Amino acid sequence: VFCYAYPHPAVTTDIALFTLRENRLHVLLLRRALAPFSGVWALPGGFVRSDEDLDSCAKRKLAAKTGITGVYLEQLYTFGAPQRDPRERVISVAYYALTPCTALVPRPGQTESDLAWVALTELPVLAFDHGAIVQVAQQRLAAKIQYSTLAFQFLPAQFTLSELQQVYEAILGASLDKRNFRKTLLVLGQLEPIIGLRRTGHHRPAQLYRAKQRDAVAIIK
Amino acid sequence: VFCYAYPHPAVTTDIALFTLRENRLHVLLLRRALAPFSGVWALPGGFVRSDEDLDSCAKRKLAAKTGITGVYLEQLYTFGAPQRDPRERVISVAYYALTPCTALVPRPGQTESDLAWVALTELPVLAFDHGAIVQVAQQRLAAKIQYSTLAFQFLPAQFTLSELQQVYEAILGASLDKRNFRKTLLVLGQLEPIIGLRRTGHHRPAQLYRAKQRDAVAIIK
DNA sequence: GCAAAAGTGTTCCAGATACACCCATGT
DNA sequence: ACATGGGTGTATCTGGAACACTTTTGC
């Protein structure tokens, strides 16, 4: 056991991992197998180890519970209400993460019975204060997409301008003018056309583009 | 003593309290009396009690160490590198706070020998990772002043437009056009002139204004 | 040929920028 | 009278918003 001269809280990271499916924003949830909140949906997350920093903990927990790695991850806010966990004092450093929906086959970890993408419009009641975390994350997302290249993180390496526009529309919850959208984004200088077309449906194929810097999120404006 | 089945970190809040003195941004520092970093300057802060939330802790620590209350306070970022404190694992939820310089007579608490406003341009080496905290806080400040009414928090209830302009100039580190500045801020609708003039020096007295909502920081743009 | 999405320019408006002189006061 | 900061208006520029038709493909 580990003993201290005065009470110490437990510290966790919880991660709201977002993706877009069918043009709707989804968040990854786990159904808890263990008490407290057994059977209730919750964000992936877990306790911070004594030798790892907070970002590493968030990455590790995401990988352990879902097998997902290499996604964009950013610290969101720290939630520390005294009674947010019924077991003991637990302070949660919340993160949010973004990933394209492609090639994402969530696999449950050992302590959870179920793992699912859930549309934000159909969010169930969540364990702990995870509902508040998702809400804050969604606000941050909608704000930050407007002054950064965050949106690219929802798409695979190659994408069309229409697909990119759909990302913006889903996150902002509004429809955008096609010509203005394309002009604005091309002027940014963060996109470049690549040789290749996307052929889908009974219509003209679309030019493919790629983000000039796929890994970093640039601040624009 | 308090014992747990697995190691728990200690959690602190640390507060970067900013003010403007002589048109330069200053931060409140304490000189540490105790180890570690005895004699080194540090931010006010301290351990989170088991029954208080994080905001309350930050307010309490600021009051206890400096006697300052009623200032604007906002969570900044959580710093959790494993070795940031040599004693044990300590995770710090950092806050920043703003206050007018008027009527602020910092009084040392019991465990610190000295308490001072230090200009950011003359910042000494700080204890722990407090230098990084101040840096992140300053960036946040410069960003947020541009899309909110944060700047009013640096001024007392009544102020002149020139004084307000000096706040913006100090935080942004740039000089602004007087006519454009006044026009922009008056159009915002967050200021109203009050009866009264500020008479200083050998020149025309200045109209006094007050913020329509002194307590809340509004998001503009 | 028709349905469906891709692709493309111009006009208009509002908000930001640049810029210079007179005013009221204290000494 | 003069030094000092307070106070004011206009022209210009720029980025965002509104808006409709042609192109290419699969069936």
Side-chain angles (χ1 to χ4, degrees), chain B residues 54-65:
Chain B
L54 302 171
D55 289 13
S56 305
C57 177
K59 278 184 204 125
R60 177 176 62 81
K61 281 292 165 189
L62 202 51
K65 303 222 170 192

Side-chain angles (χ1 to χ4, degrees), chain B residues 148-149 152 168 183-191 220-221:
Chain B
S148 75
T149 57
F152 301 167
Y168 278 84
K183 195 192 320 172
T184 307
L185 271 153
L186 290 176
V187 163
L188 269 188
Q190 297 283 340
L191 293 176
I220 54 185
K221 293 178 193 171

